[in-house]
Structures are given as structure tokens and as C-alpha cells.
């Protein structure tokens, strides 16, 4: 039996990722990259909508995708902290996408073949998109890791900054067909291979920082502000 | 419910704007199969003139007068820059869109604009200039973009008003360009017009929903239309009496209709749609003139248009600063990509 929290966790990861990438409009290093980042944001948003809709149905309290996206506070978001981290430069965007898509791909692949029919259908679609995201992030990690001295340093710094949050990808089995902890082996193999080819060092394990999730609070305040200012309105 | 000017492709060449796009596409397919003509300068000029007279297409392989080439580079580049700068006013609402469906639609729209910029830069490159040179000319102010993007997007309803009015005006301007005499530009415009008509419908639908929503939403929609109406009319450029490039562009069949003709067409199109939207066009002198079979209306403030074009609009500095920052912030990425590609070539060579 799949729990609401399990589906919310997958959906919130995708929604928060889309929200971060959506802020990169007209800011990429090349126009082609503006198109690509918007595409990835749309994929993540599409998966988030399907997952939140399903979570609302499992919950049975009449909440649809918008009620779940716009009317929950930060304490009720189930996403891992990796995805909510700020993206001050393109290097962090790419590093985060690599770490996330190396998780989402095996996760959706496993879910596509697991027992929950609805999740299986959603994952069957999302896995193809994740494969593209991983490919895109891999190509950029190689170019930037093995590009110039500056790009190498920036990419290493990006992975170092994000590394304390990677454990969160695998934490807690909220009750669903695939235990995220079981995906760690596949994830490690992918990430170590790409970083190695990119001449980057895999950072040493670091504990996730404790403290308030101020980045998520700010992200949701921006995302939810207009919707919440007009209770009950249709858009 | 979205207005009657965007009939399906089966409506024929006179049956709607998309019908005109389809007809233009058929002409372009024929033009692509012609061979290159050689000869002395007089023969080349004769051939060019004959192609223009016969309503055929000039292709990159063909000789063309320098002024034709320069004029096209200027126009296509300005159009490409407008698409790229035009991502900003709407893009700023992606993170704040009031529903996930609207967020997805807006993301896809802003992505389309980046794509339009890419096709157009590619069309300009067929005239012997590079995208990097054109981007430099945008960044240092030698080339312009449409002044409409120097106005701010203050509320969500502005996303609707931009779609309905700004994209609507763009379509009226651009559908005739699908038949312009330069093949690569015409081809780019075909795809762009198809996507723009989609954007216009989306904007219309946003406004329709707001107009028929809560009193606050209705007021938000009316306020956006009030602010975007006259800047949209100004998108067609100065009145025909003051338009510097028009006569030659018309002779070369780059431009097909005058600024004032297109502006009139746009006003006539909007009046009926505003009625369905339940929104008021902010012009007390707007009325049907049965003698002209067209609406009389108040012209936009062309002095304001000139001020905004010269750099004194509400958001000129902000738009350019954003573009320059994106360009300079991305420099290390582009350098790294070039360095990596060079290393890969060395590996292949060894």
C-alpha cells in the first residue's frame, strides 16, 4: 500500500526542482541552454502535477494538485533538501541536476515495474525524461569539470556545496513500492563514474546541516503568494 | 471562443491568418528547389528584380543588393533580439504563476520565445553575419529590440494582456512576413506564427478567466488591458507619413502592408474579442465608421514610442542589465565548453 507521504515526497522533489529551474528563464549561458533548462523544468513540473494529483486522491480529502502545491506550508513539504538549495550559478544547476537525475532515473525505473499501477504509469513516462536529464547533466559536468581551470574549480565547489544534502535523497522509507535506500548503489556508481571522467573529486561524506529550512520558506513564499492572496479564486 | 481571426488551415488562403501561413509555406517549398543563377552584375540585378516581381523567393545562394542584405539583417536581428529580451517581462511570473497548469503554459511559452530567437538568428546567419556579432550589437546598443518589452509586468493579468494584445499585434505584423521575399526569414516566420497564434489564445484565455472570476480578478484584467492597449498599438511603428524604412521594404516585398494598415487591422480584430472578454478598450473615441468599414480610434502616443525606443522607457535599463548579466555570467561556461571541445578534438586527432 502506497502512502500519501511517499507520493508527496516524489512530487515535491519534482515541484521544487521545477520551481528552481523556472527562475533560470533568459539567464542561461547560451540560448540553447535556456531552451534546455525550460524543457527540464517542464518535465519536472509535469511529473509533479501527476504525482500531486495522485497524492490528493490517496489522501481522499478533496485536495487537488494546486491545493497541495499552494496551500501547504514548508513544514508539510516532503522534498529532500538537495532540491531546495539555491542556484547561484550554472555550475550548481548542473551539479544538482546530475545528483538528482542519477537518483530519479533508477527510482522511476524501479517504480515503473513495481506494484502500484498509478505510480508505475507515471514513472514509465518520467523515466524517459530522467534519462535525458541525466544525459544533459553528464555532458555539462564533463565539459565544465574538464574545461578550464576556472570551470573545474567552480564545478568542484558546486559538488562540495551540495554534498551535505545527498544523503537526503535516500533517507526514510515513507511506505511505497521502492525503498529509496536501495537505489544508493546505482546512484553512487553513476555519480562516481561521471565525476571521475570529469576529473572531479567525489567529496567525502558530510552530515546534513540541521536548522530551519529558510531556502524552502523563501521559495514557497514566492511561489504561493499570488494564489494565497485570492482564496477560492479560479485561474 | 478565442476570436475569429485564427481559422484552421483548411480555411484557405483568404479564410484566416493561419490559412495564409499555410499558403506561404507551399510557396517556400517550391522556392527551395530552384538552382543558383550566375552572370554579370547587370544580369544578376535583372534576375533579382525578376524574382521579386514574380513574387518568388530570394535564397542565400542568390545575389542580392547590399542594401537588401543590410536591411534584412537589421530587421531579422531586431526581431530575434525582441524574442530574447521578450522572455524577461513574462518570465518573471513563472515562479509566481497562480496554478501549476498556468506555470506549465507560461514556461512553455517563454521556452518558445527562446526558440524563436534561435530560428531568427539562424535566418540572419544565412546573410553572412554570425549570432555572436548580432548579440554583441544588442548588448552594446547598436541594434534595438521591440520597445514593447520596456514596459513592466505588474500583475498576473499582464501575462494575459501580453498574450492577447502584444502577441496579437505581433501576429498581425508577422503573418505577412511569411510571404516576404527572403526565403529563410519567411520559413522562420511560418513556424513562429503558428506558435504565436497559440500564445495569443492562451493570453486571451487567461484574461477571459480573470474577467469572469472574482471582482478583484476582473479589475486586475481591466487594469492590464488599460496599460497594454496603447503600447500594443505603438508596436506597428510610426505613422506611415514618418516611417523611414517602409517604402523600400515594400518595393522589395519584405514588408507587405503599411504600419497604419496593420494597426487598423489589429484594432478591428480586438474590438469584437474585447466584447467577448467583457473588458473595455480604453479609448473613448473608439467607434465603428460605416463609411470606412473600419473602426475609428485614438492613435498611440508616438512621442512616447520615440522616447522608449531611445532608451527612456520604464524598463530599458533593467532589460539590458539582465541580458548583459546573463551573458557575462555565462562567459566561464562558454569558455569551458570551447576548451573541452578543443581537448576532444586533440584526442581524436591523436
Amino acid at each position: 500500500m502506497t502512502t500519501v507521504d511517499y507520493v508527496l515526497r516524489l512530487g515535491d522533489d519534482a515541484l521544487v526542482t521545477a520551481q528552481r529551474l523556472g527562475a533560470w528563464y533568459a539567464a542561461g549561458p547560451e540560448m540553447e541552454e535556456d531552451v534546455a533548462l525550460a524543457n527540464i523544468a517542464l518535465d519536472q513540473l509535469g511529473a509533479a502535477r501527476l504525482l500531486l494529483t495522485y497524492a490528493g486522491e490517496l489522501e481522499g480529502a478533496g485536495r487537488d494538485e494546486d491545493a497541495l502545491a499552494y496551500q501547504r506550508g514548508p513544514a508539510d513539504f516532503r522534498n529532500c533538501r538537495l532540491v531546495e538549495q539555491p542556484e547561484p550559478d550554472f555550475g550548481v544547476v548542473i551539479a544538482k541536476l546530475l545528483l538528482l537525475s542519477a537518483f530519479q532515473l533508477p527510482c522511476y525505473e524501479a517504480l515503473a515495474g513495481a506494484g502500484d499501477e498509478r505510480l508505475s504509469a507515471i514513472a514509465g513516462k518520467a523515466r524517459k525524461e530522467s534519462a535525458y536529464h541525466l544525459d544533459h547533466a553528464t555532458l555539462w559536468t564533463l565539459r565544465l569539470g574538464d574545461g578550464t581551470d576556472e570551470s573545474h574549480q567552480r564545478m568542484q565547489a558546486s559538488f562540495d556545496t551540495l554534498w551535505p544534502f545527498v544523503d537526503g535523497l535516500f533517507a526514510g522509507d515513507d511506505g511505497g513500492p521502492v525503498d529509496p535506500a536501495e537505489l544508493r548503489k546505482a546512484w553512487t556508481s553513476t555519480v562516481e563514474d561521471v565525476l571521475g571522467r570529469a576529473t572531479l573529486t567525489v567529496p567525502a561524506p558530510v552530515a546534513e546541516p540541521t536548522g530551519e529550512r529558510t531556502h524552502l520558506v523563501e521559495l514557497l513564499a514566492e511561489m504561493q503568494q499570488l494564489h494565497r492572496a485570492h482564496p477560492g479564486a479560479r485561474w | 471562443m478565442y476570436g475569429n481571426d485564427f481559422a484552421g488551415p483548411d480555411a484557405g488562403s483568404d479564410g484566416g491568418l493561419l490559412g495564409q501561413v499555410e499558403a506561404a509555406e507551399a510557396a517556400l517549398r517550391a522556392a527551395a528547389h530552384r538552382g543558383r543563377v550566375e552572370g554579370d552584375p547587370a544580369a544578376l540585378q535583372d534576375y533579382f528584380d525578376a524574382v521579386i516581381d514574380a513574387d518568388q523567393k530570394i535564397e542565400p545562394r542568390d545575389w542580392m543588393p547590399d542594401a537588401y542584405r543590410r536591411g534584412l539583417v537589421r530587421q531579422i536581428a531586431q526581431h530575434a533580439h525582441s524574442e530574447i529580451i521578450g522572455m524577461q517581462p513574462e518570465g518573471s511570473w513563472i515562479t509566481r504563476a497562480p496554478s501549476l497548469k498556468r506555470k506549465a503554459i507560461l514556461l512553455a511559452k517563454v521556452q518558445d520565445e527562446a526558440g524563436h530567437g534561435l530560428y531568427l538568428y539562424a535566418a540572419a546567419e544565412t546573410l553572412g553575419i554570425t549570432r555572436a556579432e548580432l548579440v554583441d550589437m544588442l548588448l552594446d546598443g547598436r541594434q534595438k529590440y521591440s520597445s514593447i518589452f520596456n514596459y513592466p509586468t505588474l500583475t498576473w493579468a499582464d501575462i494575459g494582456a501580453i498574450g492577447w494584445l502584444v502577441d496579437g499585434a505581433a501576429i498581425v505584423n508577422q503573418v505577412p512576413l511569411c510571404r516576404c521575399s527572403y526565403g529563410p526569414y519567411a520559413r522562420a516566420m511560418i513556424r513562429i506564427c503558428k506558435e504565436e497564434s497559440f500564445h495569443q489564445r492562451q493570453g486571451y484565455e487567461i484574461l477571459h478567466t480573470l474577467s469572469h472570476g472574482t471582482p478583484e480578478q476582473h479589475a486586475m484584467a481591466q487594469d492590464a488591458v488599460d496599460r497594454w492597449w496603447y503600447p500594443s498599438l505603438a508596436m506597428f511603428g510610426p505613422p506611415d507619413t514618418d516611417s523611414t524604412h517602409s517604402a523600400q521594404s515594400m518595393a522589395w516585398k519584405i514588408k507587405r502592408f503599411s504600419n497604419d494598415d496593420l494597426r487598423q487591422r489589429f484594432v478591428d480584430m480586438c474590438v469584437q474579442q474585447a466584447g467577448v472578454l467583457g473588458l473595455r478598450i480604453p479609448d473613448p473615441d473608439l467607434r465603428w465608421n460605416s463609411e470606412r468599414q473600419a473602426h475609428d480610434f485614438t492613435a498611440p502616443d508616438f512621442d512616447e514610442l520615440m522616447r522608449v525606443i531611445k532608451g527612456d522607457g520604464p524598463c530599458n535599463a533593467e532589460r539590458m542589465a539582465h541580458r548583459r548579466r546573463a551573458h557575462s555570467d555565462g562567459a566561464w561556461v562558454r569558455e569551458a565548453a570551447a576548451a573541452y571541445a578543443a581537448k576532444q578534438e586533440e584526442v581524436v586527432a591523436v
Side-chain angles (χ1 to χ4, degrees):
Chain A
M1 178 73 185
T2 307
T3 64
V4 178
D5 274 355
Y6 185 89
V7 183
L8 278 179
R9 172 201 169 100
L10 295 169
D12 289 346
D13 276 353
L15 177 60
V16 171
T17 299
Q19 181 71 4
R20 280 284 183 230
L21 288 174
W24 272 83
Y25 67 93
E30 290 278 14
M31 289 163 208
E32 286 82 355
E33 202 51 30
D34 281 340
V35 176
L37 293 180
N39 217 55
I40 296 167
L42 275 167
D43 289 344
Q44 295 282 351
L45 183 55
R49 293 179 65 190
L50 295 171
L51 289 162
L52 293 186
T53 299
Y54 181 39
E57 289 170 22
L58 280 178
E59 184 187 50
R63 293 203 283 184
D64 63 8
E65 59 177 35
D66 286 336
L68 288 167
Y70 289 95
Q71 289 165 23
R72 278 183 301 153
D76 295 325
F77 268 71
R78 295 278 165 262
N79 60 284
C80 67
R81 292 182 66 178
L82 174 72
V83 294
E84 72 201 36
Q85 295 310 304
E87 295 171 349
D89 80 1
F90 185 69
V92 179
V93 173
I94 292 303
K96 193 196 278 187
L97 185 63
L98 182 80
L99 299 174
L100 178 70
S101 57
F103 170 81
Q104 282 181 328
L105 179 58
C107 178
Y108 288 138
E109 278 175 344
L111 286 172
D116 184 312
E117 210 173 297
R118 281 289 291 283
L119 271 185
S120 167
I122 296 169
K125 175 176 179 291
R127 65 190 281 188
K128 296 175 200 149
E129 297 164 349
S130 290
Y132 163 76
H133 304 167
L134 179 59
D135 186 50
H136 193 70
T138 298
L139 288 171
W140 272 114
T141 301
L142 295 177
R143 287 184 198 114
L144 297 176
D146 191 18
T148 61
D149 289 346
E150 181 188 2
S151 72
H152 178 86
Q153 283 166 22
R154 280 174 178 264
M155 276 321 278
Q156 189 64 57
S158 299
F159 281 105
D160 291 349
T161 304
L162 295 173
W163 210 255
F165 302 99
V166 298
D167 284 349
L169 285 166
F170 312 100
D173 175 5
D174 299 317
V178 174
D179 179 355
E182 288 171 10
L183 305 168
R184 182 139 202 165
K185 205 173 151 200
W187 180 88
T188 303
S189 153
T190 304
V191 170
E192 287 187 354
D193 171 61
V194 176
L195 264 62
R197 285 193 287 141
T199 72
L200 294 165
T201 307
V202 176
V206 200
E208 185 168 293
T210 52
E212 299 300 326
R213 298 174 76 169
T214 52
H215 299 312
L216 181 66
V217 171
E218 285 165 14
L219 179 144
L220 294 182
E222 183 179 11
M223 185 176 93
Q224 297 175 341
Q225 131 205 359
L226 174 61
H227 182 97
R228 286 183 179 236
H230 298 266
R234 280 183 54 250
W235 298 97
Chain B
M1 73 179 279
Y2 299 124
N4 58 6
D5 278 87
F6 305 102
D10 55 349
S13 59
D14 295 315
L17 292 174
L18 278 179
Q20 295 173 33
V21 172
E22 293 293 330
E25 194 170 14
L28 282 162
R29 277 195 294 271
H33 298 294
R34 249 185 325 106
R36 179 185 167 86
V37 172
E38 311 278 353
D40 62 43
L44 290 170
Q45 177 76 52
D46 286 349
Y47 179 74
F48 175 85
D49 293 342
V51 169
I52 299 283
D53 285 347
D55 254 345
Q56 293 294 314
K57 304 299 171 195
I58 301 295
E59 296 294 338
R61 63 182 173 237
D62 295 329
W63 179 88
M64 63 191 86
D66 281 346
Y68 178 85
R69 185 184 299 274
R70 277 198 309 275
L72 275 172
V73 167
R74 182 186 59 78
Q75 181 172 338
I76 300 173
Q78 174 165 335
H79 191 169
H81 301 330
S82 300
E83 296 284 357
I84 295 303
I85 296 289
M87 295 167 76
Q88 291 182 39
E90 292 172 279
S92 68
W93 281 91
I94 291 172
T95 54
R96 296 175 287 170
S99 73
L100 296 186
K101 177 182 145 194
R102 292 293 179 202
K103 191 190 288 288
I105 291 172
L106 184 57
L107 251 169
K109 181 186 176 184
V110 173
Q111 183 190 34
D112 282 349
E113 285 161 359
H116 295 174
L118 282 168
Y119 317 146
L120 288 163
Y121 284 121
E125 284 188 319
T126 64
L127 292 158
I129 192 158
T130 65
R131 194 213 295 183
E133 290 173 285
L134 295 170
V135 168
D136 281 347
M137 285 195 269
L138 168 66
L139 295 180
D140 68 19
R142 275 177 291 161
Q143 288 185 337
K144 303 283 184 207
Y145 55 89
S146 174
S147 62
I148 193 76
F149 301 117
N150 290 317
Y151 290 88
T153 42
L154 301 179
T155 73
W156 169 252
D158 289 31
I159 301 307
I162 289 179
W164 180 46
L165 294 174
V166 175
D167 293 332
I171 294 167
V172 170
N173 250 332
Q174 291 170 3
V175 164
L177 291 173
C178 296
R179 292 192 295 123
C180 92
S181 61
Y182 188 58
Y185 190 25
R187 283 183 199 97
M189 290 318 303
I190 285 187
R191 180 151 175 195
I192 290 171
C193 282
K194 288 180 181 178
E195 294 180 354
E196 290 291 354
S197 90
F198 212 67
H199 298 167
Q200 202 252 4
R201 290 168 190 222
Q202 290 164 347
Y204 185 91
E205 205 228 334
I206 288 175
L207 285 182
H208 193 274
T209 304
L210 293 175
S211 178
H212 296 85
T214 66
E216 291 81 8
Q217 286 177 307
H218 181 86
M220 195 192 284
Q222 184 62 57
D223 168 64
V225 170
D226 289 349
R227 283 181 291 108
W228 287 94
W229 174 252
Y230 285 107
S232 300
L233 292 189
M235 284 174 69
F236 296 93
D240 294 348
T241 44
D242 301 344
S243 183
T244 44
H245 299 291
S246 280
Q248 183 62 76
S249 284
M250 299 271 264
W252 276 332
K253 296 181 181 169
I254 295 171
K255 202 176 162 101
R256 296 272 180 169
F257 301 98
S258 78
N259 294 354
D260 287 335
D261 285 350
L262 292 169
R263 193 167 8 246
Q264 180 72 57
R265 189 177 293 185
F266 175 68
V267 171
D268 292 337
M269 181 181 105
C270 288
V271 170
Q272 180 266 342
Q273 294 179 355
V276 181
L277 284 173
L279 295 170
R280 188 185 64 251
I281 290 175
D283 179 356
D285 296 323
L286 180 73
R287 60 181 54 86
W288 178 250
N289 180 328
S290 56
E291 235 168 79
R292 291 201 305 118
Q293 286 294 299
H295 291 88
D296 291 336
F297 61 95
T298 306
D301 180 349
F302 292 113
D303 292 337
E304 176 180 314
L305 173 66
M306 288 307 141
R307 281 198 305 278
V308 178
I309 287 175
K310 289 195 174 112
D312 198 17
C315 300
N316 296 58
E318 183 186 332
R319 301 289 182 243
M320 287 307 295
H322 181 107
R323 192 67 247 143
R324 291 193 185 106
R325 191 168 55 243
H327 191 72
S328 62
D329 285 354
W332 70 274
V333 176
R334 295 189 297 275
E335 284 160 19
Y340 179 78
K343 285 184 202 178
Q344 297 306 300
E345 274 177 31
E346 276 172 32
V347 173
V348 172
V350 171

